[in-house]
Amino acid sequence: AQSVTQLGSHVSVSEGALVLLRCNYSSSVPPYLFWYVQYPNQGLQLLLKYTTGATLVKGINGFEAEFKKSETSFHLTKPSAHMSDAAEYFCAVSGTGGFKTIFGAGTRLFVKA
Amino acid sequence: EPEVTQTPSHQVTQMGQEVILRCVPISNHLYFYWYRQILGQKVEFLVSFYNNEISEKSEIFDDQFSVERPDGSNFTLKIRSTKLEDSAMYFCATSGTGDVRETQYFGPGTRLLVL
């Protein structure tokens, strides 16, 4: 079985500050890991993904995440927050087989001016 | 860039009525999924579909739900007799084959409100 835990339902940062959104996963098979962003009243947009290979993956809008197998983590970071980054962020995991995607509960990011 | 589209964007229905939500996948994608997100909650997997068959379904996907690809392009989710608790945002997702199969592209969603 697979599961995702996102630590912190809400995170607030100042504009220009580091963004760190935490995600831990559980998977009995080698995981595929994803971060999605959801702006208000919109769908899910893929930020980045890890499948195999390099454990540090870069995504859109300056975000990146590092897969750490020993810690079963896939935290999302961005060096400098922008007001437009305010949104809900979902960490997700899938694996071999049916590829159904299991989502975390989400972290709402607030960016203060 | 190709994208998944969904219609309608919003639907309001009376409890007990049937609804059909439609999705147009990215053209060369062969794997299809439905997810739902109840307001304020996480996105939940409903069902996956490949080669005109359900590959996997969750506990949520009971006999009230069905999926089909009626014309080779649209992918539909039917709820036969809607309940209040079916009110949610429903997302269609599709993925390609081979090395990119694991990456699902999501549509903008259909917001369903059951009164």
Side-chain angles (χ1 to χ4, degrees):
Chain A
Q2 297 175 310
S3 66
V4 176
T5 302
Q6 291 184 241
L7 298 175
S9 58
H10 297 82
V11 169
S12 182
V13 300
S14 297
E15 194 172 19
L18 171 72
V19 176
L20 171 61
L21 304 183
R22 299 178 188 273
C23 172
N24 288 89
Y25 70 91
S26 170
S27 179
S28 56
V29 296
Y32 299 122
L33 295 159
F34 308 86
W35 276 98
Y36 287 88
V37 61
Q38 185 179 35
Y39 297 100
N41 299 314
Q42 294 190 27
L44 298 163
Q45 181 181 9
L46 181 66
L47 268 181
L48 49 79
K49 66 178 180 180
Y50 168 80
T51 53
T52 59
T55 56
L56 181 65
V57 291
K58 295 185 184 300
I60 61 172
N61 302 337
F63 284 94
E64 61 183 37
E66 186 171 12
F67 169 59
K68 291 187 177 180
K69 185 178 179 181
S70 61
E71 298 177 8
T72 60
S73 69
F74 191 58
H75 301 331
L76 181 71
T77 60
K78 181 174 180 177
S80 177
H82 192 273
M83 296 296 287
S84 60
D85 294 327
E88 185 105 24
Y89 291 80
F90 292 94
C91 181
V93 63
S94 72
T96 56
F99 287 100
K100 72 177 184 182
T101 302
I102 304 300
F103 286 81
T107 297
R108 184 165 295 277
L109 176 66
F110 297 92
V111 182
K112 300 174 291 187
Chain B
E1 184 177 333
E3 55 186 27
V4 177
T5 59
Q6 290 184 241
T7 55
S9 58
H10 295 79
Q11 179 144 7
V12 180
T13 190
Q14 296 292 321
M15 190 170 56
Q17 294 297 303
E18 174 184 285
V19 295
I20 297 176
L21 311 183
R22 292 182 170 79
C23 169
V24 178
I26 293 173
S27 64
N28 59 345
H29 283 189
L30 298 178
Y31 294 89
F32 313 114
Y33 311 81
W34 283 102
Y35 294 81
R36 80 171 185 190
Q37 184 182 30
I38 295 173
L39 188 63
Q41 297 186 25
K42 68 166 72 175
V43 178
E44 301 173 290
F45 169 78
L46 292 177
V47 66
S48 60
F49 188 85
Y50 171 71
N51 199 25
N52 287 319
E53 288 184 348
I54 290 175
S55 310
E56 191 171 2
K57 60 183 181 179
S58 72
E59 294 173 352
I60 303 167
F61 195 87
D62 60 23
D63 291 343
Q64 292 299 312
F65 291 89
S66 62
V67 289
E68 64 175 355
R69 208 167 173 222
D71 56 11
S73 59
N74 289 293
F75 176 54
T76 64
L77 173 69
K78 181 192 291 186
I79 309 175
R80 286 192 186 80
S81 178
T82 49
K83 308 185 191 79
L84 296 177
E85 55 264 36
D86 293 327
S87 295
M89 180 76 93
Y90 289 81
F91 292 107
C92 172
T94 73
S95 63
T97 56
D99 292 346
V100 295
R101 186 184 157 191
E102 78 286 342
T103 302
Q104 295 174 23
Y105 294 86
F106 284 76
T110 293
R111 186 171 294 283
L112 176 66
L113 178 60
V114 181
L115 302 176

